[in-house]
Amino acid sequence: AVFDNGFSEESETEHNYILTREISATVFRNGTKAYLCEKCADTYCENENAYTSIEDYSVWLEKSSFVYDKREHYPTVSVKSKSGEELALGEDFEVEYPKASTDIGLYYVTVVLKGEYPSSKVLYYSITPENASNLKLSPLLDGLTVEWESSQNVDGYEIQYSQSSSFSSAKTINITDRNATYQKIYSLARDRDYYVRMRSYSKSKSGVRIYSDYSSAKTVTTGFCLELNEKAAKLAYEDPNVRREIFGYS
């Protein structure tokens, strides 16, 4: 006799997975691959993280501006992850510098992140002309005089002046004579404090102006005029051989 106990033994199915959907990873998104078993409809996914991009890191130059001194300048590059880990030059990233960086001008550095999917970032630095030195101010009746010692390797200067120490609403005078050593400014308010600063510039080979940093600001009080004494005041402020005290001006 044959008895049926109601139990049956199932054999383990051998899966046959096929790729049903694929989203490739990029530097902007994660990737994924979806698989389906043709025999039992079982599924699973494989995920792939987004590629590492140099935009995921902080990249900067330790110094972005140098004053012209006839020497070559190659600024140090630093790269850090968002967690603050510092990457190693040569091991994690490479730096491509210009072949020469001696002359006044703008230069760029290419930072290349190493790995299976390299990415790069371009940073800029400049070599600037030396600024004018020994800036001096003296008052005029309705203006002021700016004096300085000229610099080498410059094409001109810019002077900014304002009644505000922050140079808000400042006016700018462009001086194209590289040998100039003074500039008179007229039509200013009388008996007012004015702040003045200046910088030099040189033109690159492409004609772009490369500016030095501004000098420290200096201040001067414009001249004033006693009633009915306009001519005397003008003479006192503009003729170096006339003592102002004679006319009552300090």
Side-chain angles (χ1 to χ4, degrees), residues 69-241:
D69 58 4
K70 299 181 181 180
R71 296 185 298 176
E72 292 190 343
H73 294 280
Y74 299 101
T76 301
V77 177
S78 293
V79 182
K80 281 188 177 181
S81 65
K82 293 180 179 179
S83 63
E85 180 184 1
E86 189 168 353
L87 274 63
L89 175 63
E91 181 179 345
D92 302 312
F93 69 95
E94 298 287 353
V95 178
E96 298 175 1
Y97 288 103
K99 293 182 179 179
S101 59
T102 304
D103 296 334
I104 295 170
L106 293 174
Y107 298 88
Y108 64 89
V109 176
T110 303
V111 185
V112 182
L113 190 67
K114 299 177 71 173
E116 185 177 359
Y117 301 98
S119 56
S120 62
K121 187 172 186 176
V122 177
L123 304 175
Y124 294 89
Y125 68 98
S126 62
I127 297 179
T128 67
E130 183 181 9
N131 199 2
S133 57
N134 294 330
L135 180 66
K136 296 179 181 179
L137 307 179
S138 56
L140 296 174
L141 179 60
D142 55 353
L144 56 91
T145 300
V146 186
E147 296 178 89
W148 65 90
E149 291 183 9
S150 60
S151 302
Q152 296 181 343
N153 302 299
V154 303
D155 291 311
Y157 303 92
E158 277 192 358
I159 296 175
Q160 271 196 345
Y161 62 95
S162 173
Q163 292 190 53
S164 169
S165 59
S166 64
F167 286 87
S168 59
S169 303
K171 293 185 178 180
T172 302
I173 296 177
N174 180 34
I175 301 170
T176 57
D177 181 2
R178 67 177 66 187
N179 297 315
T181 57
Y182 75 96
Q183 175 68 40
K184 291 186 177 182
I185 304 174
Y186 292 102
S187 301
L188 303 183
R190 296 181 180 181
D191 198 22
R192 293 290 186 272
D193 290 336
Y194 278 86
Y195 296 87
V196 180
R197 63 185 182 181
M198 69 180 300
R199 61 181 179 176
S200 62
Y201 68 84
S202 293
K203 293 181 180 179
S204 66
K205 294 179 180 179
S206 59
V208 177
R209 284 187 179 184
I210 310 297
Y211 291 95
S212 70
D213 292 334
Y214 275 110
S215 64
S216 298
K218 293 198 171 185
T219 183
V220 66
T221 303
T222 53
F224 68 97
C225 176
L226 299 178
E227 187 177 1
L228 302 178
N229 213 359
E230 179 85 14
K231 290 184 178 180
K234 187 174 181 62
L235 181 64
Y237 277 102
E238 295 199 2
D239 191 331
N241 297 314

Side-chain angles (χ1 to χ4, degrees), residues 23-44:
I23 300 177
S24 299
T26 68
V27 295
F28 304 107
R29 69 183 181 194
N30 294 331
T32 184
K33 293 181 180 180
Y35 295 89
L36 171 69
C37 178
E38 292 182 308
K39 294 181 178 180
C40 66
D42 184 41
T43 62
Y44 78 94

